[in-house]
Amino acid sequence: MIVINSGAYVIPELQAEYGKIPPCMLPLGNKRLLEHQIEAIRDEFGSVNVVVSLPESYKLGLEDELLLSNTKIKVVRVPDGFSLAESVLYVLNTQDDYHIEQIVRLIHGDTLIKGMPTGADLIGVSTTTDDYGWEYEATAGHDKLIWCGFFSFSSPRLLTQSLTLARGNFVDAIRRYAINTPLLGAKVGGWSDLGHVNTYFKSRASITTQRAFNSLTIADGMVTKKGNPNRKIQAEAMWFNSLPPILKLYAPQLIDHKFNDDGGSYYCLEYLSLSPLNEVFVQGKNPAFFWDKIFSIFRKKKKKMRRVVPSDLNFDALANDARLLYIDKTHRRLSEISKQGLFDPNALYVYDGISLPSLTELANICIRRTLMLPMVNSVLHGDICFSNVLYDSRNEMIKILDPRGMTETGDFSIYGDQKYDLAKLAHSVLGLYDWIISGRYELRKNKLGSVSLDFHLDDRILDIQASFLKSKMMPLISLGDIMPCVVLLFISMIPLHSDRPDRQEAMIANAYRIFLSYCSKEDI
């Protein structure tokens, strides 16, 4: 049996980032830490029984319940306020058959270990140059050989007895056990401690999620980005370099860049140990008022982005680029969908029992409605979804990454139609793009060919969405007005995920869900 000890909440500094959650529920690389822990356990121990402790007051989301059910993980609710030793003892005493298991293993809930030792009566150890008051066995040069949150015991009865006598002191309990049955230090293959703010973000840096056409290197306090298409890397660098001073506080500092038409272009930004908003939104438990603050920051930023547009700019060219973005790009992506062969964009569609136009006709309806809205000249990011936004909780500021940086005709530019940026933001909040990427959805099909999509949203997320819908992000245009453009965004995203047909099907269904939920149906 393996027990993942996560019966308390994360420290206040991490609660400021993700809300009140137990450590095993921390986001890490578009997944819960628990998902990584389960993968590591299955790699080493196969189908061993796994128990995870959670605080009694913690409310699991529907997707988390599904995760635990699918992975066959048993949950034990631990009374709030228990120490680690009390929590472990409580879990062991609730298991009817733990005493007949040959080995009981413990893993700290805030720890990710790869290459766990498989023997009995071991303490997992690793070296570190950090100092966080960890328990340690010995020193190796200037490095401490510390306990890294993995333990195995051949005598469950002796472990229970030691925990009882230690009166809530976990380290003392382990030392008591070792008096009767020696525990050997065994080095683990890889170790990440996510229980402290600094070590958490250091671990995040080693698990970067990135697209296949990009290459990111994090070293010496910098992020270096290079890759293909080469001109796209150049455009991003130019965008950061050309930002007006009043907007530079919303972006990481550009440290260096080099253009090479042979494909060797790159740029370097300062590395920021901050949380991306997609993980905060999907996997955090932050209350609605936290998100009101985030939306207020976006509103101020958008206002500044409109104010800095120079009066001598070629506004006709901007308007033409916007039309290309809404019309040509959409039809180009529809053509790519057709060529990929997964889905016929000209076929009629049935969503939740409602007969609807083809994807192509839906796109044309949404293009017409988007073009009816006024042009909003602004500095344009072009891809301001949650995964490209970092949140600085200490300074209550956002930092934006991966800008578009060029027009549809391939010219470098930092300007465009702000409606597009607002639609990108809405495609995360209301369109739930990041929920699809994280696999937190249920796509259903019946025998008659009707499709429906369910995200199993709780009241907290619904409150956040309602608050966002009410927010006034730009003059003359409401978020309701912008939703046809959000439909276009999802249609345009479909061919980019050809490696994941399941996501493509979800995005098609989501385009129809958004249209039915937020757009007028007078054209269908």
Side-chain angles (χ1 to χ4, degrees), residues 50-64:
V50 179
V51 178
V52 60
S53 61
L54 295 174
E56 198 168 50
S57 62
Y58 180 70
K59 184 178 180 181
L60 281 168
L62 292 173
E63 289 299 320
D64 293 326

Side-chain angles (χ1 to χ4, degrees), residues 287-288 292 295 458-469:
D292 287 340
F295 300 149
D458 58 24
D459 289 341
R460 184 184 63 87
I461 295 294
L462 294 176
D463 287 344
I464 292 168
Q465 291 181 321
S467 177
F468 179 71
L469 266 173

